[in-house]
Amino acid sequence: MHVDRADQLADAALTISGGAAHRAIFFEGREGIGKTALLSEMRRRHTDSSVFYVDLGDHYAEWEVMNAIARQAAGQGIRMDAFRALKQRYGDLPTVLFDGAHVNRSHVDIALSVNANREAQQSALADELVATLHEAATDTRPVLLLDGFERCEPPLRDWLTTSFVPDLLSGRRIAVFLAGRVVPRLSESYAGSIRTLVLPPFDTRTVEEWIELAGIEELKGLAQVVCTGTAGLPGMINEFLANFPSADG
């Protein structure tokens, strides 16, 4: 069962519609506070937009994140031909180059070098992906939901912070929502584009509403006890309430 975080969902809707000054919201909060549930509810509510969800903890490299977005975009009818062609072209390039050989009386020196173009290739792929998403924007902005930022490996985290997310925000047509126990701090030039929200625990009133919705007669009037016993964490509240039969059961 989902308990609305009304303020955060309203702010997200305003951001997606283009009515807010910011184009991204970063949701920060401790484990179990409901970050993933919030992103899932946004995904459910905004089916009129192109919505892409990526659990960053499931990916270890930049190209994996881009592929996950591209697959979802293609599944929503966005033409990804140029991105696929570019990926195929770079996928065929060697990672090690042969630079030549030198022979003397005792041995042969073979010169090999790592392909220094990989970073430029990743950048070109990201540029093509972002451009495609911008072109797909019609009446509403494409929505990118990035979950589990704290579980990224450091290289992926650096790429998201210094390259990919700034690229997404530079065109002003994509709404970005990122969640994690910690969230990135982008450069000052993007300060006006991002709103960082620290998610609070659910209060007693919210838990009362949840008990009413679930129809759990045994817990009516005990919202304060439930809320205190779970520290207001929605994951723990959900587990607690699961031990009680609902009105439908």
Side-chain angles (χ1 to χ4, degrees), residues 144-163:
L144 185 57
L145 308 173
L146 302 172
D147 198 8
F149 178 77
E150 79 283 348
R151 292 186 286 125
C152 290
E153 295 296 322
L156 179 57
R157 187 181 300 193
D158 291 343
W159 174 73
L160 288 165
T161 302
T162 63
S163 181

Side-chain angles (χ1 to χ4, degrees), residues 39-181:
L39 294 185
S40 296
E41 180 67 8
M42 289 167 55
R43 187 179 189 179
R44 186 188 69 82
R45 290 188 178 199
H46 296 285
T47 53
D48 54 336
S49 299
S50 297
V51 182
F52 316 104
Y53 174 85
V54 179
D55 186 340
L56 297 172
D58 291 341
H59 303 285
Y60 297 94
E62 295 92 332
W63 63 268
E64 289 185 312
V65 173
M66 289 189 283
N67 278 346
I69 297 169
R71 283 194 296 270
Q72 293 177 61
Q76 296 179 46
I78 298 175
R79 294 186 64 87
M80 302 302 298
D81 301 17
F83 177 81
R84 288 197 189 100
L86 197 60
K87 187 177 72 171
Q88 181 64 42
R89 173 186 168 193
Y90 290 153
D92 292 338
L93 292 176
T95 57
V96 178
L97 303 179
F98 174 73
D99 289 341
H102 174 73
V103 180
N104 61 26
R105 283 180 292 182
S106 60
H107 62 278
V108 177
D109 292 326
I110 299 177
L112 301 174
S113 67
V114 176
N115 187 353
N117 291 326
R118 280 300 179 186
E119 185 174 344
Q121 293 167 8
Q122 294 277 29
S123 179
L125 279 171
D127 288 345
E128 181 59 43
L129 177 61
V130 171
T132 299
L133 296 183
H134 278 296
E135 291 170 5
T138 53
D139 296 334
T140 58
R141 298 179 177 185
V143 178
L144 185 57
L145 308 173
L146 302 172
D147 198 8
F149 178 77
E150 79 283 348
R151 292 186 286 125
C152 290
E153 295 296 322
L156 179 57
R157 187 181 300 193
D158 291 343
W159 174 73
L160 288 165
T161 302
T162 63
S163 181
F164 191 53
V165 173
D167 285 349
L168 290 167
L169 297 177
S170 63
R172 308 185 68 86
R173 301 186 71 187
I174 299 174
V176 179
F177 300 91
L178 182 147
R181 292 200 297 271

